[in-house]
Amino acid sequence: MYILKQDIENLMSYIHQYDRIIIHRHLNPDPDAIGSQLGLKELIQYNFPHKEVYAVGNTAETLQWMGEMDRIHQNDYSGSLVIITDTANRPRIDDGRYIHGDCLIKIDHHPLVDEYGDLSLVYPQASSTCELITQMIQQNPSMFRMNHAAASLLYAGIVGDTGRFMFDNTTESTFESASFLMQYEVDLFKIHTTFNTLSFPMLKFQSYLLDQLNVSEPGIAWMKITQEVLQKFDITEEETNAFVNLPSVLAEVYAWVMLVEQKDGTWRMRIRSKGPVINQLAAKYEGGGHPKASGANAANEEVINQFLEDLKEQVQYYLNTFERSE
């Protein structure tokens, strides 16, 4: 197992010290963000019933099935321990009140870009922050007693970040963690079915995206979603996350991007890859993330066009390198 014993001991030392613990995660949360946040909350509450534990941030409508956020006052941060899960850099933290806590801990699996907090537990070799938290418990069984609720949340987060164990961030440790969590009667069918279920309006929207999909040499694809389209299909930006990997089924596509227009006219770019490293490119466009799954921003159409040219270059570099290694 890859986690340093000292990191686990330091984390538990902080948890023991504080009677009030507030857990944050990143903006526009995905299942790993919610799963790690609420899963950790459940674990602390289950093992330390006398402590106050809160999970804060904007409610993700499509992930409400995983749980609800708490409402607290800024005064509650005084003398509190704040834990940030699944968030690589401070600007991405949902709810800026985290700065008012007494102590700050970061638990994350993204490549290190912003080392913040009094304690930072960053392990990019983990498929997900949910796997990271699970591995901590597997490595140190005395850390927390697991229960069904926490196991279900952590399993859902692992499933989300590994694309149901299909992405290449899935490792032997990932399956070990999933197997460990399954001991707590996790409803696998319910979780996997929930990930794979669409409403009729969303199914119609998927058909629209397939019809509008752009594919270009040397192997990139892009989908552009305007505010007008969102309104036409009565789809929220959050709900478009379900379709970001549509181009992945195309054999001739190696990298792709979903472009979503924001209300202020700027664009959010969700970038994915089946080979080329794209997080450095995302950083060039006010973003970042994983080598094959990142996000970025574009101010206008001109920036989008430049990004697509850069993405083509990145894919061509990958193809040239791959062909040379054959």
Side-chain angles (χ1 to χ4, degrees):
M1 294 184 180
Y2 47 77
I3 304 170
L4 295 176
K5 183 179 179 181
Q6 189 62 53
D7 278 347
I8 298 174
E9 292 176 352
N10 290 341
L11 173 62
M12 291 307 296
S13 176
Y14 279 112
I15 290 174
H16 279 284
Q17 286 177 46
Y18 288 88
D19 291 327
R20 185 184 300 115
I21 300 171
I22 304 170
I23 308 175
H24 292 240
R25 38 75 184 161
H26 62 72
L27 295 160
N28 303 315
D30 56 13
D32 186 38
I34 298 291
S36 58
Q37 180 190 32
L38 294 181
L40 183 58
K41 174 189 173 181
E42 175 64 32
L43 284 169
I44 297 174
Q45 286 185 321
Y46 182 62
N47 287 271
F48 302 97
H50 65 281
K51 293 184 183 292
E52 298 176 45
V53 190
Y54 303 103
V56 300
N58 293 320
T59 300
E61 293 183 13
T62 58
L63 296 176
Q64 284 184 340
W65 60 276
M66 295 182 71
E68 298 287 343
M69 297 294 109
D70 298 307
R71 295 184 179 275
I72 60 174
H73 299 288
Q74 185 166 307
N75 292 340
D76 293 321
Y77 284 84
S78 178
S80 296
L81 170 64
V82 177
I83 301 176
I84 314 292
T85 67
D86 196 40
T87 311
N89 55 335
R90 280 167 283 192
R92 290 278 292 150
I93 299 173
D94 193 345
D95 195 330
R97 295 178 298 172
Y98 75 91
I99 62 174
H100 299 292
D102 185 60
C103 179
L104 182 66
I105 294 176
K106 174 186 182 182
I107 304 176
D108 187 35
H109 75 119
H110 293 88
L112 183 61
V113 294
D114 182 4
E115 190 168 2
Y116 62 85
D118 300 281
L119 175 64
S120 179
L121 284 71
V122 179
Y123 289 87
Q125 55 267 62
S127 69
S128 54
T129 304
C130 284
E131 178 191 317
L132 176 54
I133 292 171
T134 304
Q135 284 282 326
M136 288 182 188
I137 300 168
Q138 291 176 263
Q139 189 167 323
N140 187 2
S142 63
M143 177 182 181
F144 287 129
R145 291 176 297 127
M146 182 64 71
N147 65 7
H148 167 75
S152 298
L153 287 161
L154 294 170
Y155 181 86
I158 292 173
V159 169
D161 252 26
T162 61
R164 287 169 286 178
F165 307 105
M166 292 191 297
F167 299 160
D168 64 2
N169 61 348
T170 304
T171 65
E172 181 180 347
S173 295
T174 308
F175 285 115
E176 288 175 353
S177 294
S179 177
F180 170 76
L181 295 170
M182 286 170 62
Q183 299 176 52
Y184 296 90
E185 300 182 349
V186 173
D187 191 336
L188 306 187
F189 179 78
K190 180 179 179 180
I191 291 173
H192 284 268
T193 301
T194 301
F195 275 113
N196 202 38
T197 299
L198 295 176
S199 66
F200 186 59
M202 291 183 73
L203 188 63
K204 291 174 66 177
F205 181 64
Q206 177 177 276
S207 298
Y208 167 83
L209 288 178
L210 289 171
D211 186 57
Q212 299 296 316
L213 182 65
N214 297 278
V215 180
S216 174
E217 295 291 343
I220 72 165
W222 65 96
M223 302 170 284
K224 187 175 288 187
I225 305 169
T226 65
Q227 283 290 313
E228 182 181 358
V229 168
L230 290 175
Q231 294 170 14
K232 176 182 176 180
F233 288 93
D234 193 24
I235 295 290
T236 66
E237 179 181 352
E238 181 187 326
E239 288 174 321
T240 65
N241 280 316
F243 309 105
V244 69
N245 284 314
L246 274 180
S248 66
V249 299
L250 295 173
E252 64 270 29
V253 168
Y254 296 93
W256 60 97
V257 56
M258 173 181 278
L259 303 154
V260 185
E261 186 182 20
Q262 307 298 293
K263 291 181 179 179
D264 63 0
T266 61
W267 295 81
R268 177 64 179 165
M269 303 192 293
R270 302 191 189 110
I271 318 160
R272 299 294 184 268
S273 165
K274 288 191 289 189
V277 174
I278 44 85
N279 57 335
Q280 294 177 351
L281 177 59
K284 180 179 175 181
Y285 290 87
E286 302 177 6
H290 299 289
K292 297 180 183 178
S294 293
N297 299 285
N300 50 47
E301 296 277 352
E302 182 180 352
V303 177
I304 290 174
N305 292 334
Q306 182 59 58
F307 169 81
L308 292 174
E309 290 301 316
D310 288 346
L311 186 60
K312 289 179 182 179
E313 289 185 12
Q314 196 69 18
V315 170
Q316 189 62 63
Y317 173 79
Y318 166 78
L319 292 174
N320 292 342
T321 304
F322 179 76
E323 289 169 358
R324 285 197 300 269
S325 65
E326 285 290 294

